[in-house]
Amino acid sequence: MTKPFFIQLVFFVLTSLSGFSQSTPPQPVGPLPNANQLRWQKMEYYAFIHFSINTYTDMAWGLGNEDPKLFNPTKLDCRQWARICKEAGMKGIIFTAKHHSGFCLWPSKYTEYSVKNVPWRNGKADIVRELADACKEYGLKFGVYLSPWDRNHADYGKPEYITYFRNQLTELLTNYGDIFEVWYDGANGGSGYYGGANETRKIDAKTYYDWANTYKLVRKLQPNIVIWNDGGDRADLRWVGTEAGYVGETNWSLLNATGDVPEEQLRHGVENGNAWVPGEVNTSIRPEWFYHEREDRKVKTLPQLMDTYYNSIGRNGTLLLNFPIMPNGLINELDEKAVQAFAKARNEAFAVNLAKNATATASQVRGKNAAYAANKAIDADLDSYWATDDAVRNASLTLTFNKPTAFNRFLVQEPIRLGQRVKSFTVEALVDGNWKEIARETTIGYKRILRFPTVEATQLRLTILDAKGSPLISNLDVYKAPLILTPPMITRNQAGDIQIKAGDTESELYYTLDGSTPTAASAKYTAPVKTGNGKVDLKAITYNPFTKQSSVLSEEKFDVARSAWKILSTESKSAYQALDGNPGTSWHQDKSQTMPADLIIDLGKEENLTGFRYLPAQNWWEEASIITHYEFEVSTDNKTWKRVSEGEFSNIKNSPFWQTKPFAPIRARYIKLRALKNTQDGSASGYAEVDVVTQ
Ligand code: FUL
């Protein structure tokens, strides 16, 4: 029914006088997320699970020729995986149904290289089914990883393989219920078994897979899915350019949908990008994605996991945290404990939202309308928001606490269904009557969480300095998180002296050298510990004398000291940075050095060698690249050499951590690490550290 004319007139006059027209909702500032991307973003935290045939060969990537008989998870229990994920607060699981080896964890009709040809359970198992069922039971969403690169399949590289790939995808997206996300890794390393051809096959990742048609198939089979792909075409989500567990502080959920995406844009998104492609931070709870017993002492510590949280979910990303499955088919107890502690610490940090004890006021409210008032940012309803008039780009929102309040965390959210808008903002605290700036930042997005030293204040002010449209804030929380002590960093220099460092200045450090667990009664660290030339097992804790709390333990096992080592293959003094025990410093081959490039070292005396270790330059993108293929030789006289190991450092570019290559025991005095290939053709290879393992 239309309103009588005079009411319409009064309405018109009122709206014109008071800016009431601004009581209509603000227009979106595109590009915008679609419903699947919005649903996905709200999941925030979910698991990756890596398990395959190479779990049984202790490799990062299978070669495609591994014997299916090796696959023997005697205690397999997908319900254990789901329980752990659920208790950890995760919302779903993405499973490596097929990794690069090509081995399928479901009985695909299209290949013999799968669980159907293993003696375990007489070839009757379907691990994808077991996990899909366990996810349902625990109320988790389920996703699949199907590696496009297949090192087993004879047709890989030919058009026929694309049909095979889509057939497999159809099986996975048809037979296992709702799939929330599908993952296509971009690795296309080249060499493989390929049905017995044992050769290197190169494909053009942009054209070979014909992603556009694969995506159509995916969306037809699973209309609610999100697609992750860092290979060819951009999909619904983007890789953030690293597997180290963080996205850029500036993080736009936008990208230009076509063309190559430089690493910089993966990390930060693109402010004026033409498509909504939010970042997903994928990282493993251990250095590598698959299980290696040697990494049992390298499980991410609580402070590392908390950093990962703030650097992913706290920066407008989601967190995809990986569990490697052990050969027996279970998640390791240490990993379980780590995610439990992580969940507990998050619950403690975000237990009490202090913004609840505050009143909110704003410099400007859209049409002076209560529906957009400042308190909409603290009303615990994520759908309502504080808004300003359309023309506003700069505005502030102030919380006034009912008493002086101490806090060290600030959480802020934009209603992203109307677009990501904020370009820059500050947070200030009113301390003793003066405004003190505690943060000056750029983007917000779905969620931004800031950490800063505790301040006690009567007011807190969020000022939007600039935005792509009128700023909208749907939520604002304030917390006082308890302090978490960081485990100490332990390094040993070439002379064999050990340095221990705490993450803060208040704490003390205690250590042991006899394998026992250090306490505040153990040796106190005051200066580098002289440990001579032998092997050393050092354990240390950070201890806060005021709260009497200790950190999680750090442990480093060092092999023989490198004090007598001499580098023979170069005169360059800086080459010794590869032996200095400091992972932060590195040496790179001379730029004129062509491949293969040798690093020859005299150990000073004969040793019983059983392996070598290589840590690539950690800032490799700036000056030197990472060795991916190598040969390792040893000698007693620096003349006749014996090759004791050769192969690839799989996935080292994305996971630039320590690489350990064991070999049969041998006595030698000279070692030669030969780089055959590195990540950037024609560039110099970089070394942060090179070490040996002795018997
Ligand atoms: C990488 C792969 O090559 C790794 O093996 C792992 O699956 C990771 C999630 O993606 O790039």
Side-chain angles (χ1 to χ4, degrees):
M1 231 203 316
T2 53
K3 297 183 187 89
F5 174 71
F6 82 94
I7 295 187
Q8 281 189 31
L9 186 72
V10 170
F11 191 72
F12 174 76
V13 171
L14 275 179
T15 48
S16 332
L17 286 180
S18 67
F20 215 63
S21 60
Q22 301 270 3
S23 66
T24 55
Q27 287 303 302
V29 173
L32 303 176
N34 64 31
N36 295 351
Q37 289 167 319
L38 267 178
R39 204 180 314 111
W40 160 87
Q41 184 97 45
K42 288 183 189 157
M43 289 175 67
E44 293 193 4
Y45 176 39
Y46 42 96
F48 226 166
I49 285 192
H50 272 68
F51 186 39
S52 192
I53 190 81
N54 46 302
T55 301
Y56 296 87
T57 55
D58 211 11
M59 307 257 287
W61 287 349
L63 301 168
N65 64 354
E66 290 81 5
D67 186 343
K69 286 198 194 76
L70 294 173
F71 192 81
N72 189 24
T74 46
K75 294 190 177 151
L76 180 89
D77 182 5
C78 296
R79 295 181 67 246
Q80 184 234 20
W81 311 354
R83 175 186 58 74
I84 291 171
C85 294
K86 183 71 183 186
E87 289 171 1
M90 296 167 145
K91 297 292 182 322
I93 297 180
I94 301 178
F95 182 50
T96 52
K98 179 182 92 168
H99 200 256
H100 310 328
S101 67
F103 185 77
C104 298
L105 282 91
W106 80 103
S108 172
K109 327 197 258 239
Y110 302 99
T111 179
E112 294 307 305
Y113 200 47
S114 84
V115 280
K116 74 185 178 199
N117 283 318
V118 305
W120 171 73
R121 290 201 193 159
N122 302 318
K124 293 281 177 291
D126 180 348
I127 303 183
V128 175
R129 165 89 52 225
E130 288 188 41
L131 183 55
D133 289 349
C135 283
K136 205 170 281 160
E137 179 185 338
Y138 282 89
L140 295 167
K141 295 189 183 194
F142 183 52
V144 288
Y145 175 120
L146 184 72
S147 170
W149 184 29
D150 187 318
R151 295 175 109 177
N152 174 265
H153 206 274
D155 287 341
Y156 184 77
K158 303 188 193 135
E160 290 83 344
Y161 173 77
I162 303 307
T163 309
Y164 171 74
F165 182 66
R166 288 188 184 146
N167 283 339
Q168 292 203 313
L169 197 54
T170 305
E171 288 182 320
L172 291 171
L173 300 186
T174 311
N175 299 333
Y176 299 95
D178 288 341
I179 304 292
F180 82 95
E181 179 168 338
V182 63
W183 232 81
Y184 303 121
D185 186 74
N188 281 293
S191 67
Y193 170 73
Y194 303 127
N198 289 310
E199 59 190 13
T200 295
R201 293 188 181 171
K202 288 217 163 111
I203 54 102
D204 176 357
K206 287 207 182 57
T207 51
Y208 177 57
Y209 298 107
D210 179 20
W211 286 117
N213 282 308
T214 301
Y215 290 1
K216 270 191 206 147
L217 174 72
V218 171
R219 297 196 202 285
K220 189 180 93 197
L221 298 173
Q222 294 279 342
N224 295 328
I225 206 165
V226 282
I227 303 174
W228 187 99
N229 193 349
D230 80 323
D233 279 27
R234 290 270 76 75
D236 298 324
L237 315 176
R238 72 170 204 272
W239 186 42
V240 294
T242 172
E243 293 175 352
Y246 66 94
V247 62
E249 286 180 86
T250 298
N251 180 16
W252 291 99
S253 289
L254 306 175
L255 215 57
N256 287 320
T258 48
D260 276 337
V261 184
E263 194 141 322
E264 157 84 11
Q265 296 186 1
L266 291 173
R267 196 113 347 142
H268 300 289
V270 176
E271 181 181 321
N272 292 312
N274 61 16
W276 186 272
V277 192
E280 174 186 82
V281 175
N282 66 307
T283 191
S284 186
I285 193 152
R286 293 157 175 248
E288 287 204 8
W289 295 95
F290 284 92
Y291 181 79
H292 309 286
E293 197 183 344
R294 62 175 177 273
E295 291 184 349
D296 281 356
R297 62 194 184 94
K298 292 284 172 196
V299 177
K300 283 199 167 93
T301 60
L302 179 58
Q304 285 173 321
L305 286 169
M306 288 308 278
D307 281 347
T308 306
Y309 178 81
Y310 288 110
N311 296 342
S312 57
I313 295 169
R315 291 183 181 173
N316 186 34
T318 60
L319 173 56
L320 173 55
L321 181 67
N322 178 65
F323 296 104
I325 300 301
M326 294 188 288
N328 69 3
L330 296 173
I331 292 178
N332 187 286
E333 200 190 330
L334 297 168
D335 302 23
E336 176 177 4
K337 289 214 174 103
V339 285
Q340 280 171 349
F342 181 32
K344 183 163 171 275
R346 287 192 326 272
N347 290 339
E348 284 168 4
F350 303 112
V352 182
N353 177 9
L354 301 163
K356 289 221 174 85
N357 307 328
T359 49
T361 50
S363 60
Q364 211 271 330
V365 171
R366 185 175 183 79
K368 300 198 173 68
N369 187 329
Y372 303 113
N375 66 351
K376 296 295 169 191
I378 55 168
D379 67 356
D381 174 0
L382 278 187
D383 288 331
S384 70
Y385 48 86
W386 162 56
T388 65
D389 289 345
D390 286 336
V392 172
R393 297 290 176 272
N394 185 308
S396 65
L397 190 155
T398 304
L399 296 185
T400 304
F401 298 105
N402 56 14
K403 57 169 194 277
T405 299
F407 54 88
N408 54 17
R409 299 287 183 274
F410 175 76
L411 182 155
V412 57
Q413 298 185 270
E414 290 183 81
I416 53 167
R417 62 180 190 283
L418 295 167
Q420 187 182 352
R421 300 163 172 245
V422 174
K423 292 209 256 184
S424 56
F425 68 98
T426 58
V427 182
E428 296 157 290
L430 189 66
V431 182
D432 300 330
N434 298 315
W435 283 108
K436 177 178 170 207
E437 184 172 296
I438 49 185
R440 179 170 284 263
E441 296 292 332
T442 53
T443 53
I444 295 178
Y446 172 71
K447 188 177 271 188
R448 186 77 200 270
I449 312 176
L450 304 179
R451 296 185 275 185
F452 39 84
T454 305
V455 284
E456 192 173 88
T458 47
Q459 294 192 339
L460 175 152
R461 181 161 70 192
L462 164 70
T463 302
I464 310 296
L465 300 171
D466 196 8
K468 289 174 72 179
S470 59
L472 311 175
I473 299 295
S474 59
N475 186 40
L476 201 155
D477 294 351
V478 179
Y479 300 96
K480 181 166 184 303
L483 182 84
I484 297 174
L485 286 180
T486 343
M489 265 262 295
I490 308 171
T491 52
R492 189 190 203 193
N493 68 13
Q494 206 195 337
D497 303 340
I498 294 189
Q499 278 218 332
I500 313 177
K501 267 198 189 134
D504 63 86
T505 46
E506 289 168 38
S507 304
E508 297 172 352
L509 292 160
Y510 294 90
Y511 68 94
T512 61
L513 289 164
D514 61 2
S516 65
T517 304
T519 65
S522 307
K524 185 171 178 181
Y525 179 81
T526 47
V529 190
K530 305 247 176 250
T531 54
N533 282 333
K535 293 191 178 198
V536 178
D537 179 358
L538 188 137
K539 292 186 173 144
I541 50 163
T542 308
Y543 177 80
N544 185 322
F546 305 107
T547 60
K548 306 224 180 309
Q549 281 173 312
S550 343
S551 71
V552 174
L553 176 105
S554 286
E555 178 179 14
E556 286 297 339
K557 289 188 172 148
F558 297 101
D559 212 287
V560 290
R562 292 170 285 181
S563 45
W565 290 24
K566 293 222 160 44
I567 295 179
L568 306 180
S569 50
T570 169
E571 303 273 278
S572 162
K573 287 271 169 294
S574 63
Y576 283 88
Q577 295 190 329
L579 308 181
D580 67 0
N582 181 352
T585 59
S586 58
W587 169 70
H588 48 95
Q589 294 275 5
D590 192 86
K591 293 235 163 39
S592 61
Q593 170 75 55
T594 50
M595 290 296 207
D598 288 344
L599 175 63
I600 302 174
I601 300 172
D602 175 2
L603 308 181
K605 66 178 181 45
E606 276 192 13
E607 299 279 4
N608 265 323
L609 301 178
T610 61
F612 81 95
R613 309 203 308 140
Y614 164 61
L615 180 73
Q618 299 295 294
N619 56 341
W620 55 269
W621 58 91
E622 281 164 17
E623 45 179 7
S625 72
I626 292 179
I627 304 173
T628 56
H629 293 77
Y630 73 93
E631 285 166 0
F632 191 82
E633 298 185 348
V634 300
S635 165
T636 48
D637 57 6
N638 193 18
K639 288 192 194 94
T640 31
W641 292 90
K642 185 169 162 41
R643 183 151 330 141
V644 288
S645 176
E646 62 189 308
E648 67 180 11
F649 299 121
S650 314
N651 201 33
I652 189 172
K653 181 173 176 205
N654 295 332
S655 286
F657 302 111
W658 273 108
Q659 309 288 312
T660 303
K661 294 287 181 182
F663 46 76
I666 186 165
R667 275 192 82 74
R669 168 167 173 173
Y670 301 90
I671 59 171
K672 184 195 289 175
L673 171 59
R674 169 167 290 178
L676 298 177
K677 259 202 243 170
N678 59 27
T679 47
Q680 295 157 45
D681 273 351
S683 73
S685 303
Y687 311 72
E689 292 296 309
V690 173
D691 206 349
V692 293
V693 185
T694 64
Q695 209 161 30

